[in-house]
Amino acid sequence: MKNPLFYAKILLFGEYGIIENSMGLTLPFDSYKGTLKFSSQEDKIHLASNISLQKFAEFLETLDLPTKFELDVASLKNDIEKGMYFDSNIPQGYGVGSSGALVAAIFEKYSLNKLSSEQISKQDLTDLKLVFGKMESFFHGKSSGIDPLICYMNIPLLIQSNSEVDKVGVTRTSEGKGAVFLINSGMPGETEPMVNIFFEKLKNEGFRKTLKEEFIRYNNDCIESFLNRDMKPFFKNLKKLSLWALNNFTPMIPSEFLKIWKKGIDTNTYYLKLCGSGGGGYILGFTQDYEATEKMLEGYNKEVVYRF
């Protein structure tokens, strides 16, 4: 039987903030995907993936998961011995859920109690997020569980707090003057060092204060106005969010992008923000005029995610 595909994801809003109980909004990103396959292991990439899966399976054996979400790790290990690997074109270290898709694929294939997407309740989403967080911690040291959850569900999800997740409707169109887009920084980022920088910053009372009083407020207001398609307050708050990130998340922004980050704010043509933990990978952009933005960012590797 052919294994299902698991798509990449984009966290539009909530990076770092969801650690401190902000809202988050995430969308599936079907340009990249992965699936479990079997190989003779003569291919070096397949072999490397297979070895990585062996280590992951050993880690999963140590987890104490709720009965409803238990995994058949014995079957997983048996399939790994037969040459199973994760066939994926999702770029690693780019903030689009490469490890999340793998976790989702493993859970879907080896969970003992199968749940269809129609059966999954709001409480199940919250519980799954915790389970996926435990599973993905193998890759990042600490995980919110959001990435695997969005890859598993393959629908837009609204994170309302640390403990509340719900399905949400996001209208998509292939046309429109405005766009959400990605800029490829050309280098992968590493999640764990970036998250460690964030936790180090949290020790500073001034940073904690501005995070809660400004960043989280701008973030939540952006999500609410985006879902309501109320673009005037959306871009007003987005500008504040982008400027806040420029002033406070500088270590997470690749240095060669600081100039164009500021240029977007100064000209009001586009606004940039982190895509995932930062440090490399993709940078997320928003504009009301993609044609003008494209000219201004000529020479940068861009990809449109969403039109409005």
Side-chain angles (χ1 to χ4, degrees), residues 81-266:
E81 282 179 25
K82 292 176 184 173
M84 190 174 74
Y85 72 102
F86 191 55
D87 184 31
S88 169
N89 69 348
I90 305 172
Q92 294 183 22
Y94 274 70
V96 288
S98 56
S99 59
L102 170 57
V103 168
I106 294 291
F107 182 83
E108 193 280 334
K109 188 172 175 66
Y110 297 100
S111 58
L112 290 168
N113 301 298
K114 302 297 180 190
L115 283 170
S116 70
S117 56
E118 294 78 25
Q119 290 175 314
I120 293 176
S121 66
K122 189 173 177 179
Q123 186 58 51
D124 286 332
L125 286 174
T126 300
D127 295 341
L128 267 174
K129 176 177 168 290
L130 293 173
V131 167
F132 286 149
K134 287 182 179 181
M135 291 174 69
E136 199 185 29
S137 67
F138 171 78
F139 300 98
H140 302 313
K142 185 177 175 68
S143 165
S144 67
I146 288 297
D147 285 11
L149 187 62
I150 180 65
C151 295
Y152 181 72
M153 294 297 296
N154 196 35
I155 55 172
L157 292 176
L158 176 65
I159 301 113
Q160 291 163 308
S161 69
N162 277 339
S163 57
E164 257 191 280
V165 186
D166 207 358
K167 303 167 192 175
V168 67
V170 175
T171 308
R172 305 201 72 155
T173 175
S174 56
E175 298 175 356
K177 198 175 179 184
V180 180
F181 60 95
L182 294 173
I183 303 175
N184 189 334
S185 72
M187 55 185 178
E190 289 185 56
T191 300
E192 196 167 352
M194 294 297 106
V195 172
N196 288 342
I197 289 170
F198 176 73
F199 280 118
E200 199 59 37
K201 279 176 161 288
L202 274 181
K203 293 176 183 176
N204 180 289
E205 190 181 337
F207 178 79
R208 283 200 312 273
K209 190 172 189 291
T210 184
L211 183 83
K212 288 180 179 176
E213 292 179 4
E214 296 178 77
F215 176 79
I216 289 177
R217 178 158 55 89
Y218 303 151
N219 175 82
N220 292 356
D221 287 347
C222 278
I223 291 172
E224 286 174 5
S225 51
F226 183 80
L227 290 176
N228 291 327
R229 298 185 71 79
D230 197 350
M231 291 303 166
K232 192 173 179 181
F234 173 68
F235 276 96
K236 184 181 174 185
N237 283 294
L238 188 58
K239 181 176 183 176
K240 293 175 184 175
L241 193 64
S242 184
L243 182 59
W244 190 96
L246 184 63
N247 291 333
N248 294 278
F249 279 160
T250 309
M252 291 83 159
I253 302 170
S255 56
E256 56 269 43
F257 288 87
L258 291 170
K259 192 175 177 181
I260 63 161
W261 195 295
K262 187 173 186 301
K263 189 177 182 181
I265 295 166
D266 290 344

